[in-house]
Amino acid sequence: MQFVPRPAFDINASGAGDHGDLPEWNLTDLYESPDAPELKRDMDWLEEACASFAADYDGKLAGLDAAGMLDCVLRYEKIDMIAGRIMSFIGLRYYQITTDSERAKALSDAQDKITAYTTPLVFFSLEINRINDAALDALFAENADLARYKPIFDRMRTMRPYQLSDELEKFLHDQSTVGSAAWNRLFDETIAGLEFHIGDETRGLEATLNDLTDQNRDTRETAAREVARVFGENVKLFARVHNTLAKEKEIEDRWRGMPTPQTGRHLSNHVEPEVVQALRDAVVNAYPQLSHRYYELKRKWLGLERMEVWDRNAPLPMESERLVGWDEARETVLSAYGEFDPEMAKLAEPFFDKGWIDAAVKPGKAPGAFAHPTVADVHPYVMLNYLGKPRDVMTLAHELGHGVHQRLAAGQGELLSSTPLTLAETASVFGEMLTFRRLLKNAPTKAERKVMLAGKVEDMINTVVRQIAFYDFECKLHEARRSGELTPDDINALWMSVQGESLGPAFDFMDGYETFWAYIPHFVHSPFYVYAYAFGDGLVNALYAVYEEGGDDFQAKYFEMLKAGGSKHHKELLEPFGLDASDPSFWNKGLSMISGFIDELEAME
C-alpha cells in the first residue's frame, strides 16, 4: 500500500482557522476500530488463505486447465483484496497522526504479519513467467472470464527477463519490512517531527513552507532560511536515507540485470523508455520558453532586480489575500465537474458528505495530499491539508479527480483497477483544468484574469518543469551512487545542478537551498515516480485540446478511459481521441498550452 502525494506546492499551516467545518475521515467502511473483531477475523483468514493457496498451487500452475487457472486467479484476487483492506485501514489511521506511537506500532506490526503471510505467494508470478506464451494463450482462448485478466499476466511477464530464483524472490519479499519500508518510515517520522522556530512560534514543516507563499517578502525569507537551517542540521540523516535506499535499489537492479535504475519504474508504469525520454527531452528543451520566460515576467511584477528561491511561489502584488472557505471550495469544484458532466459531480459528491475526506491540518498529520483507492469493494479516501488558499482549491480538484477515477476503475475488480502512474494523473489534472477554466471564465476583471493565468502557469511549471528537474536529479543521484557513498555535499551539488537549469537566470540561490532535496517524499517512497506528473499534465493538455475542439462523444470516451483502470495500455486508451504518446510531437502539443498562457500574460504587459 502506497500513499503517494501530489507534487508539493509548499502549502499548509495549522488548525482549521476560518475555513469552515472541515471534514475528517470516517474509516468505518473499512473497519469499525483498531480492535474490531472483523479486523482480527480478516487477519486470521489471510494467514490461512495464503497458506492454503500455496499448498494448492505451488509447483502446479503449469498443469492447470483454463477453469482451474481462473479459480486460482480469483483466490489470489480475494487475498489481495483482504490484505489491501487491512493495510488501508491501518495505514490511513497512521497518516492521520504519524507521531502517535500506537498507530506507528500497529502499522509496523501489520506490515510484518502480512509480509510473512504473503511470502509463500511469491511463487505465483515466478511460475506464471515460466509458462510458455502458447500455453497461456490457449488458456485465454478457452475461457473468456480468464482472458479478462490477461493484462495482469502481461504485466507480470514484463519482469521475465529480470526474474531471480524462487528462493531469492522470497528473501527479497521477506526482508522488505526491514529494508525500504523501514527507511520510508524513518523518513516520514523524521519529517513529521521536525520543529521550526518562527518568532516565538514552534511549527512543523508544512506550516513553515506555507510562509513561502506569503505576500510579505520578509516573511518568506525568514521561513526559507529557517527551513534551510533545520534541513542543514538534519542533512546527514537524510543523506543516509537516500544513500541506503539508492544502494539497496542498485543491488537489486544489478542482481536482476536491469539495464538502468529507471527500468523498474518504466515496467511498472507500462511505458516505453523512449516515450519517457521524449517527454523529458521535450520539457528540458522548452525550459527557456516556459519557466525561464515566466519567471522573468514574475521578477518584473515583483519589482525585483533578482529573484530568490523564496520568491518562486510568492503571490503577485495584485493578488488578493482572500482565503477560500471550505463550502466555497466545494461548490467551485463540484460546479466545474458538473458543467463537464453531471455524472462527474455526482461521483465526487459523496467524498464531502460521507467522511471520505480528511481536510484539516493537525499536529502529526502527514504533509501534502493524496487520494488512496483502498480496495475495489469500498471507496477511495482523500487526504488534504486545507488552508483556504487558491492552490488548496486546485489540490481539492486534483485529489477528487483521482477519487472519481478510482471509483470508476473499481468496476474492473481488485487486480485490474489499479492504473499505471503515467495514467493515474489523468483524471486529477483534468479535474484541475476544469476547475481552472471555470474560474477563468468567470473572472470579473482583467487583473483577476491575469492572477489566475499566472497561478495556473506556476502550477503547470511545478507539475511539468519542476518534476522533470526532480527526475533528472534522481537519475543523477542513482547513477552517482553506483560509484560509491555520496556525502551530503555530493547530493547538494546534484540538486543545484538541475535547479539553475530548470528555473532560469532570474534566480539567485541562498546558502542552504542546496539541502531542499531532503523533504521531497517521492524520492524516498517511489523512485522516479515524478515524471508521471509531467506525463499526466502533457496528456491532459492534449486531451483538453481535443475536448475544446468539440464533439458530443468526448465525455463518453473520457469516462470509458477512466473505467478501464489498468486493463489497457496508454496507446489503446488514447487512440479513440486520436492521440499517441509515442509521437514526439504529442509532448510539444501539451507544452504549447503552457507557452500559450505565457503568451497571453506577456500580451497583458
Side-chain angles (χ1 to χ4, degrees):
M1 179 189 67
Q2 283 187 327
F3 301 90
V4 183
R6 67 174 307 201
F9 291 133
D10 307 330
I11 57 174
N12 303 356
S14 57
D18 299 323
H19 314 310
D21 187 14
L22 298 180
E24 295 187 352
W25 281 331
N26 176 359
L27 300 179
T28 57
D29 288 341
L30 293 165
Y31 295 101
E32 285 289 336
S33 67
D35 55 359
E38 293 82 4
L39 179 56
K40 182 181 185 307
R41 175 203 67 198
D42 284 355
M43 190 68 90
D44 292 344
W45 179 90
L46 188 66
E47 181 178 20
E48 191 281 327
C50 291
S52 62
F53 183 91
D56 291 345
Y57 294 113
D58 194 352
K60 305 169 187 173
L61 294 184
L64 295 177
D65 60 14
M69 183 64 79
L70 177 61
D71 287 342
C72 174
V73 170
L74 293 175
R75 283 177 63 179
Y76 188 90
E77 185 170 46
K78 175 99 181 272
I79 288 170
D80 199 59
M81 178 94 74
I82 297 300
R85 178 187 283 262
I86 292 169
M87 289 308 300
S88 291
F89 176 74
I90 294 173
L92 290 169
R93 284 190 75 247
Y94 169 72
Y95 274 83
Q96 282 182 301
I97 315 177
T98 62
T99 51
D100 181 272
S101 57
E102 178 272 320
R103 296 180 189 223
K105 173 177 165 52
L107 179 63
S108 180
D109 289 349
Q111 287 174 328
D112 288 348
K113 285 182 179 179
I114 289 179
T115 299
Y117 297 165
T118 56
T119 294
L121 307 187
V122 171
F123 80 89
F124 180 70
S125 61
L126 305 179
E127 282 193 34
I128 290 295
N129 286 347
R130 286 198 286 265
I131 300 173
N132 68 57
D133 292 337
L136 265 185
D137 289 342
L139 295 180
F140 296 141
E142 183 181 337
N143 189 307
D145 290 333
L146 177 64
R148 197 176 78 81
Y149 289 95
K150 185 176 184 297
I152 299 299
F153 288 82
D154 290 344
R155 286 183 206 170
M156 281 192 284
R157 290 167 81 80
T158 62
M159 284 296 294
R160 287 171 81 184
Y162 313 110
Q163 188 167 296
L164 300 174
S165 68
D166 292 12
E167 291 78 14
L168 276 174
E169 293 289 356
K170 289 177 181 177
F171 169 76
L172 288 173
H173 178 86
D174 219 17
Q175 68 87 44
S176 64
T177 57
V178 293
S180 59
W183 289 96
N184 278 208
R185 272 191 59 204
L186 174 64
F187 172 83
D188 288 340
E189 291 169 10
T190 301
I191 286 288
L194 292 179
E195 292 186 347
F196 302 81
H197 305 294
I198 304 292
D200 296 330
E201 185 180 355
T202 299
R203 303 176 176 175
L205 174 62
E206 293 289 350
T208 310
L209 292 176
N210 183 61
D211 277 357
L212 297 179
T213 62
D214 196 272
Q215 280 280 9
N216 187 290
R217 195 171 192 235
D218 290 340
T219 299
R220 299 197 302 271
E221 179 178 356
T222 298
R225 294 198 183 279
E226 177 63 4
V227 169
R229 181 190 69 79
V230 175
F231 285 175
E233 291 178 354
N234 292 274
V235 71
K236 289 183 179 179
L237 187 150
F238 290 121
R240 172 61 48 224
V241 171
H242 282 69
N243 267 291
T244 303
L245 288 173
K247 185 61 179 178
E248 181 187 54
K249 188 177 192 310
E250 185 273 326
I251 292 169
E252 184 172 335
D253 286 351
R254 175 159 37 89
W255 276 75
R256 291 189 182 282
M258 289 192 172
T260 73
Q262 301 86 359
T263 298
R265 176 62 62 199
H266 299 335
L267 290 172
S268 67
N269 282 346
H270 319 303
V271 65
E272 301 75 17
E274 57 271 21
V275 172
V276 178
Q277 190 64 40
L279 163 64
R280 181 265 173 201
D281 291 347
V283 174
V284 171
N285 291 337
Y287 283 170
Q289 289 76 46
L290 302 179
S291 49
H292 296 189
R293 189 160 59 113
Y294 173 75
Y295 287 127
E296 181 58 25
L297 273 176
K298 184 167 186 176
R299 182 190 65 77
K300 294 176 183 176
W301 294 335
L302 294 174
L304 300 173
E305 287 295 322
R306 304 282 298 162
M307 287 177 70
E308 258 291 359
V309 291
W310 56 76
D311 300 314
R312 183 174 62 85
N313 283 329
L316 301 184
M318 70 290 287
E319 190 169 330
S320 167
E321 294 188 68
R322 184 181 77 87
L323 297 179
V324 181
W326 181 251
D327 290 343
E328 182 183 348
R330 167 184 173 142
E331 193 279 330
T332 297
V333 175
L334 289 181
S335 295
Y337 279 20
E339 285 177 6
F340 173 73
D341 192 292
E343 180 64 18
M344 194 166 174
K346 185 177 177 183
L347 287 163
E349 200 157 7
F351 286 85
F352 295 95
D353 299 331
K354 295 187 175 181
W356 299 0
I357 299 177
D358 197 300
V361 179
K362 291 168 282 189
K365 183 177 175 181
F370 61 71
H372 178 58
T374 68
V375 288
D377 66 348
V378 186
H379 56 76
Y381 283 92
V382 163
M383 194 197 82
L384 306 171
N385 280 276
Y386 188 83
L387 286 164
K389 295 201 171 187
R391 280 191 174 129
D392 293 357
V393 180
M394 290 300 171
T395 300
L396 173 62
H398 181 104
E399 300 304 341
L400 279 178
H402 278 307
V404 167
H405 193 175
Q406 291 158 355
R407 290 195 72 194
L408 288 168
Q412 293 288 342
E414 187 65 18
L415 294 181
L416 285 165
S417 60
S418 179
T419 308
L421 293 181
T422 43
L423 294 168
E425 295 300 323
T426 303
S428 55
V429 179
F430 197 85
E432 278 192 80
M433 183 63 77
L434 291 173
T435 303
F436 166 72
R437 292 288 189 173
R438 182 178 190 273
L439 291 170
L440 189 67
K441 181 178 70 175
N442 296 331
T445 66
K446 180 180 176 181
E448 290 190 47
R449 181 179 178 85
K450 180 177 180 178
V451 168
M452 288 192 62
L453 273 173
K456 185 59 177 173
V457 168
E458 290 199 17
D459 282 353
M460 294 171 102
I461 286 173
N462 278 329
T463 305
V464 178
V465 170
R466 184 164 162 82
Q467 302 305 314
I468 289 300
F470 283 177
Y471 177 66
D472 277 357
F473 167 72
E474 285 191 276
C475 291
K476 291 183 176 186
L477 175 77
H478 283 262
E479 183 60 34
R481 183 64 180 91
R482 291 184 171 211
S483 300
E485 177 91 4
L486 300 176
T487 68
D489 285 344
D490 292 333
I491 303 177
N492 292 347
L494 295 175
W495 173 256
M496 294 308 297
S497 74
V498 302
Q499 291 302 300
E501 179 188 21
S502 62
L503 294 176
F507 281 92
D508 288 331
F509 298 96
M510 69 170 188
D511 289 342
Y513 180 67
E514 66 273 9
T515 63
F516 275 43
W517 52 268
Y519 80 101
I520 309 299
H522 309 75
F523 302 156
V524 174
H525 291 295
S526 298
F528 307 109
Y529 179 104
V530 289
Y531 74 71
Y533 292 117
F535 194 109
D537 198 270
L539 188 154
V540 165
N541 290 344
L543 263 183
Y544 203 88
V546 175
Y547 171 53
E548 286 188 314
E549 289 167 5
D552 295 336
D553 59 347
F554 180 90
Q555 280 85 340
K557 291 177 183 176
Y558 180 74
F559 280 116
E560 284 304 307
M561 179 176 69
L562 300 189
K563 287 176 183 176
S567 66
K568 296 180 180 179
H569 187 267
H570 65 79
K571 207 171 186 69
E572 187 178 357
L573 288 172
L574 292 175
E575 189 175 6
F577 302 96
L579 299 172
D580 182 1
S582 63
D583 181 354
S585 65
F586 172 86
W587 300 113
N588 291 326
K589 176 185 288 189
L591 294 172
S592 68
M593 178 177 286
I594 309 175
S595 185
F597 286 157
I598 300 173
D599 290 343
E600 188 173 344
L601 286 168
E602 286 183 334
M604 291 180 177
E605 292 299 291

